[in-house]
Amino acid sequence: MNTTGPDGKGHGKGLRLTPIRGLRYVPARVGSLAAVTSPPYDVVVRPDGLHYLESLDPHNIVRLILPQAESASDSHRQAAATLRRWLTEGILAPEPEPALYVYEQRNGDLLQRGLIGALELSEAHEGVVLPHEDVMPHIVEDRADLMRATAANLEPLLLTYRGEGIRTGATAVIERAVNRPPLLSTTTEDGFSHRLWAVTDPAELAEIQADFAHRQALIADGHHRWATYLRLRGDHASPSPWDHGLVLLVDTTRYPLQVRAIHRVLHRLPVAEALNGVADSFRVRRIDAPLPRALDALAEAAAESNAFLLAGDGSYHLVDRPDRELLDRTIRRDRPEAWRTLDATVLHSTLLDHTWHIPDAPEHIAYIHDTYAAVQKAERDGGTAVLMHPVREEVVLELARQGVTMPRKSTSFGPKPATGLVLRSLEH
């Protein structure tokens, strides 16, 4: 892996972000831009959320990213047919010329800006784009089949880099762009406003490319889609459009991201059984308080040791201070201490594998971003929600630079880009 300094600059080929003729909704052909957008596919985890998005507008992007049919192959063919029809009917249209897109999200005091374009793909060992989580093969396979059928990147990954915090290079271009009238402006139901500008001036594009030439990026959100990009690149002879993938690049020195946890719901493990399994090797305390106060207790405990909040029986149970000997026996020793002490590592290696004997498979575990949704699902299904405390961004970045991946679904960076504002066709 390339070595890097604290500014995130490496000695390799760096980031190569190229303009695209973005596919965008034609405002006159849809009810509203807000009504056709969606969160990323892996955030829309509940059927009620899917059906709600479908009901907002007959052209909501969820019909492309999560098509519903009898089989996976049928759903992928359906998405491809839907995309072709929307292009033919003028619901979606390609831009007249290639551009990089400045994308802004704002909600109160929270402001995020970055650049959307097609990033040249690279393997992790090249040290240009750093993954930090493992992926699930069946999800990569599904996303690959969908991208192959549609010949499109339907939603951008979220990548971060560390700039110098000064108004030069890409930052200067972004801040000039936001003073111009935007291509689009909309506000989604979550309260976030979204604005988009096209950068087409050759001098500004060169300014961005020179700035990125020696930078590296961290995958903040979209590990499965990045793995999908790499798989599809391998299926096509280079050079081809599959050598690049759609991304949003954000400078977290200037626009820090929020880091949240991704919770687990164990479908077939009742809370009483889960607690019985940990009684002898963890400290277990019942928290008789509403969820926000229980999460405060989790945060306080997580500052001192590995800690988890179990829910699903109408109460909250704080599980912390694991037995050191148990950890030594169940966690592999050939990884850095920062990896061995992650809550996600202890959960997967010690609790799921050793104590509860639960396979990491969809029929046993659901990964849910929303805390309340995780609790409600566990209570509804008679299972156990394992609520997690977020990992600090510095830990994620340091492990990524060492080439060490965290257990899958260890973090949730945000705010995530809205899906549906810019798509990339590999045929236009």
Side-chain angles (χ1 to χ4, degrees), residues 59-70:
H59 303 107
N60 188 283
I61 194 69
V62 78
R63 287 182 166 80
L64 299 183
I65 62 171
L66 288 172
Q68 301 299 296
E70 290 296 322

Side-chain angles (χ1 to χ4, degrees), residues 251-298:
D251 176 4
T252 54
T253 303
R254 198 159 187 84
Y255 304 106
L257 296 186
Q258 298 175 327
V259 186
R260 294 190 173 94
I262 301 177
H263 310 296
R264 278 71 167 155
V265 174
L266 314 179
H267 302 303
R268 303 176 183 179
L269 182 70
V271 174
E273 188 176 335
L275 292 172
N276 185 59
V278 301
D280 294 333
S281 51
F282 286 76
R283 182 175 69 168
V284 179
R285 292 175 288 162
R286 179 169 170 154
I287 306 295
D288 291 316
L291 181 55
R293 288 177 56 192
L295 291 172
D296 289 341
L298 172 62

Side-chain angles (χ1 to χ4, degrees), residues 14-17 103 105 112-122 127-132 155-163 174 212 215-227 229 244-253 255-257 393 397 413-417:
L15 302 170
R16 296 180 180 174
L17 189 68
Y103 175 48
Q105 294 166 274
Q112 178 172 290
R113 290 171 178 158
L115 285 163
I116 294 176
L119 186 67
E120 184 178 35
L121 305 181
S122 60
V128 178
V129 175
L130 306 178
H132 70 267
E155 46 188 338
L157 284 63
L158 175 60
L159 272 60
T160 68
Y161 66 98
R162 305 287 288 179
I174 289 171
F212 285 161
R215 295 199 185 279
Q216 67 177 180
L218 175 73
I219 301 176
D221 185 68
H223 282 81
H224 289 89
R225 283 166 285 163
W226 184 258
Y229 289 168
H244 295 74
L246 187 66
V247 305
L248 165 65
L249 275 164
V250 173
D251 176 4
T252 54
T253 303
Y255 304 106
L257 296 186
E393 182 183 1
L397 184 57
F413 285 86
K416 304 178 190 302

